[in-house]
Amino acid sequence: MTVEVVTDMMQDGLFVILKTAAPPLIVSLVIGLAVSVFQTVTSIQEQTLTFVPKVVGMFVCLMILGHWMLNNMTTFMTDLWQNFSVYIR
């Protein structure tokens, strides 16, 4: 196994991680920002107010995009296992 093969595997793995984790993180960021703006406008200083909307947003995001996320991870792992003979040389 050459350095190029390992580099390509790591690059593909990191790209799959970023591509899979980005939608829930973006949803959480947008909801947190919206709740923070709402708290600033209304002068409500409750620290736990962001928790419930974020949990609901993450749940909805995972319900909508969960199949796509799992498909990305499964495709990556299937590709790794199909090329296993190349890796052990």
Side-chain angles (χ1 to χ4, degrees):
M1 184 150 66
T2 63
V3 174
E4 290 82 17
V5 172
V6 174
T7 305
D8 288 341
M9 280 176 34
M10 292 299 294
Q11 182 179 5
D12 292 342
L14 289 173
F15 183 67
V16 168
I17 290 170
L18 290 174
K19 188 169 63 170
T20 304
L25 290 174
I26 291 171
V27 167
S28 178
L29 176 77
V30 168
I31 291 173
L33 183 65
V35 171
S36 295
V37 168
F38 174 75
Q39 284 180 325
T40 302
V41 168
T42 60
S43 298
I44 298 174
Q45 297 302 321
E46 180 63 35
Q47 296 296 323
T48 59
L49 187 61
T50 62
F51 183 71
V52 173
K54 278 186 183 181
V55 168
V56 171
M58 294 293 286
F59 180 73
V60 169
C61 178
L62 291 177
M63 290 296 292
I64 293 171
L65 297 175
H67 176 71
W68 173 78
M69 293 166 66
L70 188 60
N71 192 21
N72 281 338
M73 292 185 287
T74 305
T75 302
F76 175 69
M77 287 305 299
T78 303
D79 291 343
L80 281 180
W81 280 108
Q82 285 178 348
N83 297 328
F84 191 70
S85 62
V86 174
Y87 304 143
I88 58 174
R89 288 185 195 177

